[in-house]
Amino acid sequence: MNKYRLESASAAGLETCFDAKQPVQARLAVAPESPSVKAMENKNPASESLTMLNKPAPAEQLLSAQPPLAAARPAEPAASRPESRSGAAAAQFKLKAPSDWWVKASTFVYPLLFGILIYVLWQSGLLHKMLGTDDFTLPAPSRIVRIMQDNSGKIWANVITTLQAALSGLLFGSLLGFLTAFLAMRFPRWGSGGLTLVSAFNAIPIIALAPVITNWTKDVSSDAATRSMVAKILVVTLVCMASMSVNAYRGLTELKPFSLDLMHSYGSGRGVEFIKLRLPNCVPYIFIALKVGVPTSVISAMIAEYFAEFITGVGRQIRENIVLAQYPTAWAYIMTACLMGIVLYAILISVETVALRHRR
Amino acid sequence: MIYTVGRLKRTAGALASGTAADLNQNEPSSEPTPTEQTVQSGISLSGVSKSYPVNGEMIPVLKNINLDIQQGEFISLVGPSGCGKTTTLRIIADLISPSSGTVLIGGQTPRQARLQRRYGMVFQSAVLYDWRTVIKNVMLPLEIMKLPRQEQLQRAEAMLDMVGLKDYATHYPGQLSGGMQQRVGIARALALKPDILLMDEPFSALDEFTREKLHEDLLQIWQKTHKTIVFVTHNIAEAVYLSDRVCVMSPHPGRISNIIEIGLPRPRNPQAKTSATFSAYVNLVRSSFEGV
């Protein structure tokens, strides 16, 4: 980006110089008839030799009386001083505007068109014919939406439960993951071992983890709702920990060349180094981890609900309604689950856009 | 077109014949050597060596470096890759410690000098923190020094003014060109008000136009502030143009081959680069390298 801007700026500078040279050449062409130039040529080869390599000087000698050069000279510093980004960006925008606009819009338009197509097929019943299914197993979208409206109170209560498990699990998991990353950065020798261990947890399927943890936590509280919540949060915590620890470790240790030297040259301690350098450097990596963590937390919370004791939460409702063959209600909860994931992800992306708006 | 070529040939001839005369002409006007100055912020290296273990064997990177840098002097360390010029600079900066020998910075050890923030360092890349605005980047060392907020702002603004970037204070590094970024780096180093400026190939990543502009900026800053500048580069012309003395280093192991006093008059201007004296100094530096 920078390089390109610089090139274009200096090219612009050269062009101006080139234009200004036109009169020079014109003048040179008639030089033999011009006594003044001839005289100057003969006069001092020595002074010329000194300034020969210095481009502006001969031009000045030849053309000191000509105004176009005066116009050309200010262009030279401009060539060595790149113009500000906004100017260059504006020029590029002009050039690329239509295609740029379409590239941005198409990432939004194509999926939207696809969604509309699916909706039309689904609502009209064509999708059922294509999949060889019926209205009862796969109700039309309008019916699912109606069920969601009719049961909004109950669905909302379940959403809250699932969100509680997902978000607190995400919070604890992220904090623990960051702590692991910090320890791995601070004490590389045995910290990296901890990092490997945490990553190994990530390899355990949630489906295997959830029943085990439900079993472990059966004595935590006499209240089934509390026991279930603890189990769910534990599952989500373990699942979210890995991506945070690995990414945060990268953010804390993968620093730009010399940035640590810079800190050392100020004689700064580890604390200052962490606050001023490592932590801010880590922020984009934390968002990478959260982009994995947020959808995973919702999914793992719902899977944990499958195995939990207490019959609550969006995931559990999907299961219960399928078991009872209440497919339209099950579909309403599936739709709710999708919306939860999408909304949380959208919030995360918005926060990230604001938080990282100045970074490249 | 043809005209131009003919003219070039003629002037080239004139330059060749004028070389010796030019050298003689400029020799007497060279500056007096700064030997009688105090060594308050002078740097002295005596018998400095550095070796690294490679496959269980100690490979010497620097061998017996002896160098006295005067206060207010502009000295360049020049040499090919692997000659230890950056290592030497990092030893002065106390970013690494020598295997043997002693370094004194105005009578202090490099560590004391570092902790008292007596030097500002400029690196090959600008090393700006891209989550901070330009002025916040310049304020970084001042924040670490825990100066009052008002003084931080004042100093940072003054330094940005000095490098000609006052209007860019609230920009982010990503919005600046490479040359501008490096100027912010220089402003940040100056913000500490150090006696010494250590520069490690600061302009090597820049294009020729920007580099020449920054040469002028740097010389002006040096003239205004009278700092001791240790400048590492692999660009011979750059070293000759900027320095009072050029310290030529050769590799395997890294050692000083020659120290050349540059007698070009000060203040220097770009015209000096075209003089025969300049070329003669460049050739002298080039011929001082031993081996490759």
mmCIF file with all atom_site columns, all heavy atoms in Angstrom, chain B residues 8 23 30 76-77 82 130 135-136 139 156 161 197 207 209 224 231 263 274:
data_model
loop_
_atom_site.group_PDB
_atom_site.id
_atom_site.type_symbol
_atom_site.label_atom_id
_atom_site.label_alt_id
_atom_site.label_comp_id
_atom_site.label_asym_id
_atom_site.label_entity_id
_atom_site.label_seq_id
_atom_site.pdbx_PDB_ins_code
_atom_site.Cartn_x
_atom_site.Cartn_y
_atom_site.Cartn_z
_atom_site.occupancy
_atom_site.B_iso_or_equiv
_atom_site.pdbx_formal_charge
_atom_site.auth_seq_id
_atom_site.auth_comp_id
_atom_site.auth_asym_id
_atom_site.auth_atom_id
_atom_site.pdbx_PDB_model_num
ATOM 1   N N   . LEU B 1 8   ? 27.325 15.114  -21.813 1.00 0.00 ? 8   LEU B N   1
ATOM 2   C CA  . LEU B 1 8   ? 27.682 14.282  -20.675 1.00 0.00 ? 8   LEU B CA  1
ATOM 3   C C   . LEU B 1 8   ? 29.132 13.840  -20.775 1.00 0.00 ? 8   LEU B C   1
ATOM 4   O O   . LEU B 1 8   ? 29.881 13.888  -19.810 1.00 0.00 ? 8   LEU B O   1
ATOM 5   C CB  . LEU B 1 8   ? 26.775 13.050  -20.620 1.00 0.00 ? 8   LEU B CB  1
ATOM 6   C CG  . LEU B 1 8   ? 25.513 13.197  -19.789 1.00 0.00 ? 8   LEU B CG  1
ATOM 7   C CD1 . LEU B 1 8   ? 24.699 11.935  -19.890 1.00 0.00 ? 8   LEU B CD1 1
ATOM 8   C CD2 . LEU B 1 8   ? 25.899 13.458  -18.333 1.00 0.00 ? 8   LEU B CD2 1
ATOM 9   N N   . LEU B 1 23  ? 40.424 17.667  -4.761  1.00 0.00 ? 23  LEU B N   1
ATOM 10  C CA  . LEU B 1 23  ? 40.808 17.121  -3.465  1.00 0.00 ? 23  LEU B CA  1
ATOM 11  C C   . LEU B 1 23  ? 41.689 18.110  -2.727  1.00 0.00 ? 23  LEU B C   1
ATOM 12  O O   . LEU B 1 23  ? 41.479 18.399  -1.554  1.00 0.00 ? 23  LEU B O   1
ATOM 13  C CB  . LEU B 1 23  ? 41.578 15.816  -3.668  1.00 0.00 ? 23  LEU B CB  1
ATOM 14  C CG  . LEU B 1 23  ? 40.807 14.516  -3.438  1.00 0.00 ? 23  LEU B CG  1
ATOM 15  C CD1 . LEU B 1 23  ? 41.691 13.329  -3.717  1.00 0.00 ? 23  LEU B CD1 1
ATOM 16  C CD2 . LEU B 1 23  ? 40.264 14.452  -2.022  1.00 0.00 ? 23  LEU B CD2 1
ATOM 17  N N   . SER B 1 30  ? 38.703 21.415  5.667   1.00 0.00 ? 30  SER B N   1
ATOM 18  C CA  . SER B 1 30  ? 38.046 20.402  6.491   1.00 0.00 ? 30  SER B CA  1
ATOM 19  C C   . SER B 1 30  ? 37.993 20.868  7.945   1.00 0.00 ? 30  SER B C   1
ATOM 20  O O   . SER B 1 30  ? 38.849 21.639  8.391   1.00 0.00 ? 30  SER B O   1
ATOM 21  C CB  . SER B 1 30  ? 38.794 19.078  6.402   1.00 0.00 ? 30  SER B CB  1
ATOM 22  O OG  . SER B 1 30  ? 40.040 19.207  7.023   1.00 0.00 ? 30  SER B OG  1
ATOM 23  N N   . SER B 1 76  ? 29.769 6.910   11.478  1.00 0.00 ? 76  SER B N   1
ATOM 24  C CA  . SER B 1 76  ? 29.054 5.820   10.829  1.00 0.00 ? 76  SER B CA  1
ATOM 25  C C   . SER B 1 76  ? 29.849 4.531   10.945  1.00 0.00 ? 76  SER B C   1
ATOM 26  O O   . SER B 1 76  ? 31.074 4.548   10.843  1.00 0.00 ? 76  SER B O   1
ATOM 27  C CB  . SER B 1 76  ? 28.851 6.124   9.342   1.00 0.00 ? 76  SER B CB  1
ATOM 28  O OG  . SER B 1 76  ? 27.918 7.140   9.178   1.00 0.00 ? 76  SER B OG  1
ATOM 29  N N   . LEU B 1 77  ? 29.127 3.451   11.176  1.00 0.00 ? 77  LEU B N   1
ATOM 30  C CA  . LEU B 1 77  ? 29.727 2.132   11.072  1.00 0.00 ? 77  LEU B CA  1
ATOM 31  C C   . LEU B 1 77  ? 29.230 1.558   9.755   1.00 0.00 ? 77  LEU B C   1
ATOM 32  O O   . LEU B 1 77  ? 28.029 1.394   9.558   1.00 0.00 ? 77  LEU B O   1
ATOM 33  C CB  . LEU B 1 77  ? 29.299 1.221   12.224  1.00 0.00 ? 77  LEU B CB  1
ATOM 34  C CG  . LEU B 1 77  ? 29.454 1.757   13.645  1.00 0.00 ? 77  LEU B CG  1
ATOM 35  C CD1 . LEU B 1 77  ? 28.979 0.722   14.654  1.00 0.00 ? 77  LEU B CD1 1
ATOM 36  C CD2 . LEU B 1 77  ? 30.906 2.108   13.906  1.00 0.00 ? 77  LEU B CD2 1
ATOM 37  N N   . GLY B 1 82  ? 26.948 -9.005  8.074   1.00 0.00 ? 82  GLY B N   1
ATOM 38  C CA  . GLY B 1 82  ? 27.716 -9.966  8.841   1.00 0.00 ? 82  GLY B CA  1
ATOM 39  C C   . GLY B 1 82  ? 29.033 -9.429  9.355   1.00 0.00 ? 82  GLY B C   1
ATOM 40  O O   . GLY B 1 82  ? 29.841 -10.187 9.884   1.00 0.00 ? 82  GLY B O   1
ATOM 41  N N   . ASP B 1 130 ? 0.946  0.221   16.107  1.00 0.00 ? 130 ASP B N   1
ATOM 42  C CA  . ASP B 1 130 ? -0.098 0.697   15.188  1.00 0.00 ? 130 ASP B CA  1
ATOM 43  C C   . ASP B 1 130 ? -1.447 0.912   15.864  1.00 0.00 ? 130 ASP B C   1
ATOM 44  O O   . ASP B 1 130 ? -2.399 1.332   15.224  1.00 0.00 ? 130 ASP B O   1
ATOM 45  C CB  . ASP B 1 130 ? -0.208 -0.193  13.939  1.00 0.00 ? 130 ASP B CB  1
ATOM 46  C CG  . ASP B 1 130 ? -0.352 -1.643  14.277  1.00 0.00 ? 130 ASP B CG  1
ATOM 47  O OD1 . ASP B 1 130 ? -0.592 -1.934  15.468  1.00 0.00 ? 130 ASP B OD1 1
ATOM 48  O OD2 . ASP B 1 130 ? -0.224 -2.493  13.375  1.00 0.00 ? 130 ASP B OD2 1
ATOM 49  N N   . ILE B 1 135 ? 1.194  10.915  17.589  1.00 0.00 ? 135 ILE B N   1
ATOM 50  C CA  . ILE B 1 135 ? 1.686  11.650  18.767  1.00 0.00 ? 135 ILE B CA  1
ATOM 51  C C   . ILE B 1 135 ? 1.773  10.741  19.980  1.00 0.00 ? 135 ILE B C   1
ATOM 52  O O   . ILE B 1 135 ? 2.699  10.830  20.781  1.00 0.00 ? 135 ILE B O   1
ATOM 53  C CB  . ILE B 1 135 ? 0.816  12.905  19.054  1.00 0.00 ? 135 ILE B CB  1
ATOM 54  C CG1 . ILE B 1 135 ? 1.520  13.806  20.070  1.00 0.00 ? 135 ILE B CG1 1
ATOM 55  C CG2 . ILE B 1 135 ? -0.575 12.539  19.546  1.00 0.00 ? 135 ILE B CG2 1
ATOM 56  C CD1 . ILE B 1 135 ? 1.125  15.250  19.976  1.00 0.00 ? 135 ILE B CD1 1
ATOM 57  N N   . LYS B 1 136 ? 0.860  9.788   20.069  1.00 0.00 ? 136 LYS B N   1
ATOM 58  C CA  . LYS B 1 136 ? 0.897  8.827   21.176  1.00 0.00 ? 136 LYS B CA  1
ATOM 59  C C   . LYS B 1 136 ? 2.135  7.952   21.065  1.00 0.00 ? 136 LYS B C   1
ATOM 60  O O   . LYS B 1 136 ? 2.695  7.529   22.082  1.00 0.00 ? 136 LYS B O   1
ATOM 61  C CB  . LYS B 1 136 ? -0.363 7.947   21.140  1.00 0.00 ? 136 LYS B CB  1
ATOM 62  C CG  . LYS B 1 136 ? -1.573 8.617   21.747  1.00 0.00 ? 136 LYS B CG  1
ATOM 63  C CD  . LYS B 1 136 ? -1.528 8.461   23.240  1.00 0.00 ? 136 LYS B CD  1
ATOM 64  C CE  . LYS B 1 136 ? -2.916 8.604   23.839  1.00 0.00 ? 136 LYS B CE  1
ATOM 65  N NZ  . LYS B 1 136 ? -2.866 8.276   25.276  1.00 0.00 ? 136 LYS B NZ  1
ATOM 66  N N   . MET B 1 139 ? 4.915  9.896   22.366  1.00 0.00 ? 139 MET B N   1
ATOM 67  C CA  . MET B 1 139 ? 4.787  10.041  23.820  1.00 0.00 ? 139 MET B CA  1
ATOM 68  C C   . MET B 1 139 ? 5.120  8.761   24.588  1.00 0.00 ? 139 MET B C   1
ATOM 69  O O   . MET B 1 139 ? 5.301  8.806   25.806  1.00 0.00 ? 139 MET B O   1
ATOM 70  C CB  . MET B 1 139 ? 3.368  10.487  24.178  1.00 0.00 ? 139 MET B CB  1
ATOM 71  C CG  . MET B 1 139 ? 3.113  11.971  23.946  1.00 0.00 ? 139 MET B CG  1
ATOM 72  S SD  . MET B 1 139 ? 1.369  12.342  23.821  1.00 0.00 ? 139 MET B SD  1
ATOM 73  C CE  . MET B 1 139 ? 0.808  11.997  25.479  1.00 0.00 ? 139 MET B CE  1
ATOM 74  N N   . ALA B 1 156 ? 6.264  16.014  22.758  1.00 0.00 ? 156 ALA B N   1
ATOM 75  C CA  . ALA B 1 156 ? 5.926  15.235  21.565  1.00 0.00 ? 156 ALA B CA  1
ATOM 76  C C   . ALA B 1 156 ? 5.579  16.160  20.409  1.00 0.00 ? 156 ALA B C   1
ATOM 77  O O   . ALA B 1 156 ? 6.009  15.947  19.272  1.00 0.00 ? 156 ALA B O   1
ATOM 78  C CB  . ALA B 1 156 ? 4.767  14.288  21.869  1.00 0.00 ? 156 ALA B CB  1
ATOM 79  N N   . ASP B 1 161 ? 7.132  18.561  15.297  1.00 0.00 ? 161 ASP B N   1
ATOM 80  C CA  . ASP B 1 161 ? 7.383  19.775  14.539  1.00 0.00 ? 161 ASP B CA  1
ATOM 81  C C   . ASP B 1 161 ? 8.776  19.713  13.922  1.00 0.00 ? 161 ASP B C   1
ATOM 82  O O   . ASP B 1 161 ? 8.987  20.050  12.761  1.00 0.00 ? 161 ASP B O   1
ATOM 83  C CB  . ASP B 1 161 ? 7.254  20.981  15.478  1.00 0.00 ? 161 ASP B CB  1
ATOM 84  C CG  . ASP B 1 161 ? 7.086  22.275  14.706  1.00 0.00 ? 161 ASP B CG  1
ATOM 85  O OD1 . ASP B 1 161 ? 6.642  22.191  13.543  1.00 0.00 ? 161 ASP B OD1 1
ATOM 86  O OD2 . ASP B 1 161 ? 7.396  23.333  15.250  1.00 0.00 ? 161 ASP B OD2 1
ATOM 87  N N   . LEU B 1 197 ? 22.278 9.427   19.933  1.00 0.00 ? 197 LEU B N   1
ATOM 88  C CA  . LEU B 1 197 ? 21.288 8.826   19.044  1.00 0.00 ? 197 LEU B CA  1
ATOM 89  C C   . LEU B 1 197 ? 21.948 7.619   18.378  1.00 0.00 ? 197 LEU B C   1
ATOM 90  O O   . LEU B 1 197 ? 22.995 7.751   17.737  1.00 0.00 ? 197 LEU B O   1
ATOM 91  C CB  . LEU B 1 197 ? 20.873 9.867   17.994  1.00 0.00 ? 197 LEU B CB  1
ATOM 92  C CG  . LEU B 1 197 ? 19.497 9.780   17.369  1.00 0.00 ? 197 LEU B CG  1
ATOM 93  C CD1 . LEU B 1 197 ? 18.424 9.667   18.434  1.00 0.00 ? 197 LEU B CD1 1
ATOM 94  C CD2 . LEU B 1 197 ? 19.237 10.995  16.499  1.00 0.00 ? 197 LEU B CD2 1
ATOM 95  N N   . ASP B 1 207 ? 12.912 4.459   -0.153  1.00 0.00 ? 207 ASP B N   1
ATOM 96  C CA  . ASP B 1 207 ? 13.335 4.701   -1.529  1.00 0.00 ? 207 ASP B CA  1
ATOM 97  C C   . ASP B 1 207 ? 14.315 5.870   -1.554  1.00 0.00 ? 207 ASP B C   1
ATOM 98  O O   . ASP B 1 207 ? 14.449 6.622   -0.600  1.00 0.00 ? 207 ASP B O   1
ATOM 99  C CB  . ASP B 1 207 ? 12.120 5.002   -2.408  1.00 0.00 ? 207 ASP B CB  1
ATOM 100 C CG  . ASP B 1 207 ? 11.426 6.260   -1.981  1.00 0.00 ? 207 ASP B CG  1
ATOM 101 O OD1 . ASP B 1 207 ? 10.713 6.222   -0.963  1.00 0.00 ? 207 ASP B OD1 1
ATOM 102 O OD2 . ASP B 1 207 ? 11.608 7.286   -2.641  1.00 0.00 ? 207 ASP B OD2 1
ATOM 103 N N   . PHE B 1 209 ? 14.500 8.809   -3.042  1.00 0.00 ? 209 PHE B N   1
ATOM 104 C CA  . PHE B 1 209 ? 14.012 10.190  -2.872  1.00 0.00 ? 209 PHE B CA  1
ATOM 105 C C   . PHE B 1 209 ? 13.798 10.497  -1.394  1.00 0.00 ? 209 PHE B C   1
ATOM 106 O O   . PHE B 1 209 ? 14.271 11.501  -0.868  1.00 0.00 ? 209 PHE B O   1
ATOM 107 C CB  . PHE B 1 209 ? 12.681 10.383  -3.607  1.00 0.00 ? 209 PHE B CB  1
ATOM 108 C CG  . PHE B 1 209 ? 12.796 10.275  -5.095  1.00 0.00 ? 209 PHE B CG  1
ATOM 109 C CD1 . PHE B 1 209 ? 12.460 9.107   -5.736  1.00 0.00 ? 209 PHE B CD1 1
ATOM 110 C CD2 . PHE B 1 209 ? 13.246 11.346  -5.847  1.00 0.00 ? 209 PHE B CD2 1
ATOM 111 C CE1 . PHE B 1 209 ? 12.566 9.001   -7.103  1.00 0.00 ? 209 PHE B CE1 1
ATOM 112 C CE2 . PHE B 1 209 ? 13.357 11.246  -7.214  1.00 0.00 ? 209 PHE B CE2 1
ATOM 113 C CZ  . PHE B 1 209 ? 13.013 10.067  -7.844  1.00 0.00 ? 209 PHE B CZ  1
ATOM 114 N N   . LYS B 1 224 ? 21.178 21.212  15.021  1.00 0.00 ? 224 LYS B N   1
ATOM 115 C CA  . LYS B 1 224 ? 20.409 21.938  16.028  1.00 0.00 ? 224 LYS B CA  1
ATOM 116 C C   . LYS B 1 224 ? 20.673 21.405  17.427  1.00 0.00 ? 224 LYS B C   1
ATOM 117 O O   . LYS B 1 224 ? 20.709 22.151  18.391  1.00 0.00 ? 224 LYS B O   1
ATOM 118 C CB  . LYS B 1 224 ? 18.907 21.779  15.740  1.00 0.00 ? 224 LYS B CB  1
ATOM 119 C CG  . LYS B 1 224 ? 18.285 22.979  15.013  1.00 0.00 ? 224 LYS B CG  1
ATOM 120 C CD  . LYS B 1 224 ? 16.780 22.807  14.928  1.00 0.00 ? 224 LYS B CD  1
ATOM 121 C CE  . LYS B 1 224 ? 16.322 22.680  13.499  1.00 0.00 ? 224 LYS B CE  1
ATOM 122 N NZ  . LYS B 1 224 ? 14.921 22.292  13.358  1.00 0.00 ? 224 LYS B NZ  1
ATOM 123 N N   . PHE B 1 231 ? 25.750 5.847   13.594  1.00 0.00 ? 231 PHE B N   1
ATOM 124 C CA  . PHE B 1 231 ? 24.864 5.558   12.472  1.00 0.00 ? 231 PHE B CA  1
ATOM 125 C C   . PHE B 1 231 ? 25.377 4.313   11.767  1.00 0.00 ? 231 PHE B C   1
ATOM 126 O O   . PHE B 1 231 ? 26.491 4.298   11.234  1.00 0.00 ? 231 PHE B O   1
ATOM 127 C CB  . PHE B 1 231 ? 24.896 6.772   11.530  1.00 0.00 ? 231 PHE B CB  1
ATOM 128 C CG  . PHE B 1 231 ? 23.877 6.754   10.429  1.00 0.00 ? 231 PHE B CG  1
ATOM 129 C CD1 . PHE B 1 231 ? 22.658 7.396   10.584  1.00 0.00 ? 231 PHE B CD1 1
ATOM 130 C CD2 . PHE B 1 231 ? 24.140 6.121   9.226   1.00 0.00 ? 231 PHE B CD2 1
ATOM 131 C CE1 . PHE B 1 231 ? 21.723 7.405   9.571   1.00 0.00 ? 231 PHE B CE1 1
ATOM 132 C CE2 . PHE B 1 231 ? 23.197 6.123   8.207   1.00 0.00 ? 231 PHE B CE2 1
ATOM 133 C CZ  . PHE B 1 231 ? 21.993 6.769   8.379   1.00 0.00 ? 231 PHE B CZ  1
ATOM 134 N N   . GLY B 1 263 ? 36.627 14.874  5.359   1.00 0.00 ? 263 GLY B N   1
ATOM 135 C CA  . GLY B 1 263 ? 36.972 16.299  5.408   1.00 0.00 ? 263 GLY B CA  1
ATOM 136 C C   . GLY B 1 263 ? 36.041 17.200  4.636   1.00 0.00 ? 263 GLY B C   1
ATOM 137 O O   . GLY B 1 263 ? 36.352 18.356  4.417   1.00 0.00 ? 263 GLY B O   1
ATOM 138 N N   . THR B 1 274 ? 28.199 15.494  -5.559  1.00 0.00 ? 274 THR B N   1
ATOM 139 C CA  . THR B 1 274 ? 28.676 15.446  -6.936  1.00 0.00 ? 274 THR B CA  1
ATOM 140 C C   . THR B 1 274 ? 30.144 15.819  -7.039  1.00 0.00 ? 274 THR B C   1
ATOM 141 O O   . THR B 1 274 ? 30.732 15.713  -8.098  1.00 0.00 ? 274 THR B O   1
ATOM 142 C CB  . THR B 1 274 ? 27.867 16.431  -7.795  1.00 0.00 ? 274 THR B CB  1
ATOM 143 O OG1 . THR B 1 274 ? 28.064 17.746  -7.269  1.00 0.00 ? 274 THR B OG1 1
ATOM 144 C CG2 . THR B 1 274 ? 26.403 16.096  -7.782  1.00 0.00 ? 274 THR B CG2 1
#
